[in-house]
Amino acid sequence: MPRLAGKVVGQSSFYAAVITLVVFAAFPFYWMLITTFKTDGDLYNLKSIPYWFNAPPTLEHLKYLFEDTLFVQWLSNSALIGLCVVAITLLVALPAGYGLARMPGRSGENLSIGIFLTYLVPPTLLFLPLARVITLLGLQDSLWALVVVYPTFTIPFCTWLLMGFFKSVPREIEEAAIVDGCTVVGAFVKTVLPLSVPAILTVVIFAFTLTVQEFVYALTFISSSSEKPVTLGVATDLIRGDIFYWGELMGAALISSVPVAIAYNLFLDRFISGITGGAVK
């Protein structure tokens, strides 16, 4: 009997912890959802219950967001910047990570640590020299400035991540491909890359989400509304002085975050596999 009671208590504690975590994770989305569809009168009435609708829902905030702001343009800019940064990151980090993983001795590991340390440099220290680079390239007040700047912090981490994963891929597979007639590059493309899909997906998700949520560089290099990414456009055009357009802000945050959350959930297993792939050799 005591054993059964202990088992019941253990399971109850487990499910209580799970429910707590689920509520903690889902509550921001719930708050954004109800705020998006609340009327201003309901939203600013301090006597009403804030966790549910006290007046019929409205689409006024979404209508303002899509018709009176450049929200769709901001979303398009963020998507374009994210795709370009992911492509540049993969183009550089894949061969760099593979090269570091196959370097003899500890030289590759030491170099990867040095590369990773550059990722830890605060953006507030880097935007001054990067501003000079952007000026020389003639990309001021253009979203292409962010396409140039963002790979400076995505490539170091992704190279380090891919190096760890490539180390877990047995060299014998590549050697067998070379014996069968492949070149070194051919063996990398035909044998290593297919086995590294979890790591590549991890890099894609990490680089894209890091790019979409970045704010400091966007605020530094972009001032025209039509060139802003969604993080900057929402924060600067929907907050005017001490006036916060809460319904529109929550709607923009909800629409921007849901696709990322869905992508994380769809590829969660591969994401974890990619993150931990280099931990066990």
Side-chain angles (χ1 to χ4, degrees):
M1 193 65 179
R3 187 175 179 181
L4 179 61
K7 186 177 180 181
V8 170
V9 171
Q11 288 185 344
S12 301
S13 302
F14 172 75
Y15 286 113
V18 170
I19 291 172
T20 303
L21 287 174
V22 170
V23 171
F24 182 76
F27 184 77
F29 291 94
Y30 172 74
W31 187 259
M32 289 188 287
L33 182 66
I34 63 170
T35 305
T36 301
F37 294 103
K38 276 189 173 184
T39 61
D40 285 335
D42 187 7
L43 198 57
Y44 297 114
N45 186 359
L46 298 179
K47 296 181 179 178
S48 62
I49 300 172
Y51 304 109
W52 191 242
F53 295 100
N54 299 282
T58 179
L59 294 175
E60 288 180 2
H61 302 307
L62 290 179
K63 185 179 178 183
Y64 181 87
L65 187 64
F66 282 96
E67 295 182 358
D68 297 331
T69 70
L70 296 175
F71 181 63
V72 176
Q73 182 67 44
W74 300 334
L75 284 177
S76 301
N77 292 342
S78 291
L80 177 61
I81 295 168
L83 292 175
C84 291
V85 172
V86 167
I88 294 171
T89 302
L90 287 176
L91 196 63
V92 177
L94 279 172
Y98 178 73
L100 290 171
R102 292 297 182 255
M103 287 183 73
R106 297 182 59 84
S107 54
E109 185 175 349
N110 294 333
L111 278 174
S112 69
I113 293 173
I115 293 172
F116 179 74
L117 289 177
T118 64
Y119 172 73
L120 303 179
V121 179
T124 49
L125 297 179
L126 291 177
F127 74 79
L128 285 176
L130 286 173
R132 179 62 178 163
V133 174
I134 296 303
T135 302
L136 291 174
L137 294 175
L139 297 176
Q140 306 98 314
D141 198 19
S142 167
L143 61 87
W144 296 108
L146 303 182
V147 175
V148 173
V149 169
Y150 286 165
T152 59
F153 59 80
T154 58
I155 288 175
F157 180 81
C158 293
T159 299
W160 175 79
L161 179 70
L162 287 169
M163 185 207 70
F165 195 89
F166 287 144
K167 278 188 173 180
S168 67
V169 178
R171 288 173 181 261
E172 290 78 7
I173 296 176
E174 302 165 56
E175 293 171 355
I178 293 172
V179 169
D180 288 340
C182 285
T183 61
V184 175
V185 176
F188 171 67
V189 173
K190 294 179 180 177
T191 61
V192 178
L193 286 186
L195 294 173
S196 306
V197 170
I200 295 172
L201 278 176
T202 302
V203 167
V204 170
I205 293 173
F206 174 80
F208 189 82
T209 54
L210 200 63
T211 300
V212 169
Q213 70 185 11
E214 203 282 330
F215 182 78
V216 174
Y217 286 135
L219 180 64
T220 304
F221 297 120
I222 306 293
S223 58
S224 300
S225 290
S226 60
E227 298 290 318
K228 292 177 181 176
V230 67
T231 49
L232 181 63
V234 168
T236 57
D237 288 34
L238 293 177
I239 301 175
R240 299 171 186 172
D242 58 351
I243 300 175
F244 289 69
Y245 292 74
W246 283 116
E248 290 79 1
L249 283 169
M250 293 296 107
L254 182 67
I255 294 170
S256 305
S257 59
V258 166
V260 178
I262 292 174
Y264 263 104
N265 280 279
L266 287 177
F267 299 105
L268 184 60
D269 293 340
R270 290 180 178 272
F271 186 74
I272 294 174
S273 176
I275 287 287
T276 59
V280 180
K281 186 178 179 180

